[in-house]
């Protein structure tokens, strides 16, 4: 009986995992994931298609706002300069219409010059919430907003 339960549980888990991989994620979430992938991959050609003149990139915690494709991509190019690794581990995601909320941790590995640690390689995991307001008709990002736990970043930098 225990083996039968195990086999049934394994079948159910495999079925759920397969269903999750078949694109059953809402279209808004799929677009948001593709967008975040372009950001973390430094894929400026793809990002060029995600933004327009009215797009806004706002890092509320750092009080920085950039408007328009050219300004946003210019900012991202500067921020990504010399980065060895960059990713966003999405731990939870949900949406309300075209507003997608992603909760997780940004991982950064790169030169310490940007953080006052010249000559060192810095490795950070910064918890945060990223919201993306999408224009689903045109597959564009209307607004990207980050709320990052910069105190955790400061704490991690103190020991590196």
């Amino acid at each position: 009986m225990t083996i039968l339960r195990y086999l049934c549980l394994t079948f159910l888990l495999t079925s759920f995992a397969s269903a999750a991989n078949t694109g059953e994620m809402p279209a808004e979430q799929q677009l948001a994931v593709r967008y975040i992938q372009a950001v973390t991959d430094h894929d400026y050609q793809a990002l060029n298609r995600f933004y327009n003149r009215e797009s806004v990139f706002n890092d509320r915690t750092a009080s920085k706002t950039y408007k328009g494709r050219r300004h946003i991509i210019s900012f991202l190019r500067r921020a990504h300069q010399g980065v060895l690794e960059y990713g966003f581990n999405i731990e939870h995601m949900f949406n309300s219409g075209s507003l997608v909320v992603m909760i997780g941790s940004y991982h950064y590995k790169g030169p310490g010059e940007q953080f006052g640690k010249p000559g060192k390689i810095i490795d950070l995991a910064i918890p945060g919430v990223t919201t993306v307001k999408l224009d689903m008709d045109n597959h564009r990002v209307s607004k990207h907003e980050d709320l990052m736990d910069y105190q955790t970043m400061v704490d991690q930098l103190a020991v590196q």
Side-chain angles (χ1 to χ4, degrees):
M1 185 108 160
T2 307
I3 293 174
L4 183 59
R5 263 197 223 162
Y6 174 76
L7 290 173
C8 287
L9 181 60
T10 302
F11 174 75
L12 285 173
L13 289 175
T14 304
S15 298
F16 287 134
S18 297
N21 291 330
T22 60
E24 291 185 22
M25 182 185 301
E28 294 85 359
Q29 292 181 22
Q30 290 178 40
L31 184 60
V33 168
R34 284 195 307 271
Y35 165 67
I36 290 296
Q37 190 67 49
V39 170
T40 59
D41 285 349
H42 312 176
D43 187 347
Y44 304 112
Q45 187 174 359
L47 288 171
N48 196 49
R49 291 187 301 270
F50 276 109
Y51 301 128
N52 64 21
R53 288 181 181 193
E54 301 304 314
S55 297
V56 174
F57 187 105
N58 185 13
D59 183 342
R60 287 188 56 188
T61 317
S63 300
K64 298 283 185 186
T65 301
Y66 302 92
K67 184 174 181 182
R69 173 188 298 131
R70 187 170 52 91
H71 295 289
I72 296 169
I73 290 177
S74 177
F75 158 71
L76 291 173
R77 283 183 188 276
R78 286 190 313 274
H80 293 159
Q81 198 166 23
V83 172
L84 302 172
E85 294 176 20
Y86 182 50
F88 184 45
N89 179 30
I90 300 170
E91 296 163 12
H92 186 66
M93 178 170 50
F94 60 92
N95 67 292
S96 176
S98 63
L99 176 66
V100 180
V101 178
M102 296 168 277
I103 302 166
S105 291
Y106 281 93
H107 175 254
Y108 167 88
K109 186 174 185 178
E113 283 76 12
Q114 292 181 352
F115 302 98
K117 304 255 182 189
K120 290 189 172 190
I121 297 297
I122 300 299
D123 196 352
L124 302 169
I126 306 167
V129 176
T130 293
T131 62
V132 181
K133 179 73 173 158
L134 302 166
D135 171 354
M136 291 304 293
D137 293 333
N138 298 305
H139 295 152
R140 303 242 189 218
V141 173
S142 300
K143 185 173 187 179
H144 171 141
E145 189 159 38
D146 286 331
L147 292 163
M148 309 298 285
D149 181 357
Y150 285 122
Q151 185 57 54
T152 295
M153 181 183 78
V154 169
D155 295 345
Q156 291 175 26
L157 284 170
V159 296
Q160 292 191 49

